[in-house]
Amino acid sequence: MKRFLTFPRLAMIFFGLFGVAIVGIFVLQDYWVAPGKRCEAAGKWYDMENRICAQPISIAQITGRPNGVSRADASAEKNRELVRIEHELAAESRARAAEAQRQKAALASARPAA
């Protein structure tokens, strides 16, 4: 009587499954774990859940505020800049109004009396 699971067949099945498991481990390592390690070695962030390699950015690039400057200092500087701009606009408006008055006076004095 011949049995299906003889020792040579069991050995072949074992080595076959062992080979498939080894290949699976290498595939898992190469396609799942290694991209994360390469990404992190490049100084980026790797999201394992979505498998995304992202470039970290500085908060200064988002806010426009240089590193080492607090939010209060940056806000105070921006407020001083806005006040300076408002003063410039007010001075331009006064100069425009003075020029309009000067031109009106020049036109009134140049008009002949009727």
Side-chain angles (χ1 to χ4, degrees):
M1 174 165 118
K2 287 195 163 201
R3 292 190 173 158
F4 177 71
L5 295 176
T6 62
F7 184 75
R9 284 188 183 161
L10 281 174
M12 292 292 283
I13 291 171
F14 172 76
F15 286 122
L17 289 175
F18 182 74
V20 168
I22 292 296
V23 168
I25 288 173
F26 280 112
V27 167
L28 176 72
Q29 176 69 26
D30 195 41
Y31 291 106
W32 192 263
V33 177
K37 291 192 185 284
R38 284 192 302 266
C39 180
E40 290 174 0
K44 298 179 180 178
W45 293 335
Y46 189 70
D47 180 16
M48 196 67 141
E49 184 177 320
N50 297 322
R51 301 183 47 79
I52 295 173
C53 184
Q55 173 69 39
I57 60 173
S58 170
I59 191 72
Q61 292 174 333
I62 297 171
T63 62
R65 183 173 73 226
N67 289 332
V69 176
S70 71
R71 182 183 294 176
D73 293 341
S75 180
E77 179 61 34
K78 190 58 96 171
N79 287 339
R80 283 191 294 275
E81 181 182 351
L82 289 174
V83 167
R84 182 186 53 78
I85 291 170
E86 286 176 354
H87 286 298
E88 288 175 4
L89 289 174
E92 287 176 12
S93 179
R94 285 191 303 270
R96 203 174 309 115
E99 180 63 21
Q101 286 297 331
R102 187 193 63 76
Q103 288 178 359
K104 284 181 185 178
L107 282 175
S109 65
R111 228 184 257 168

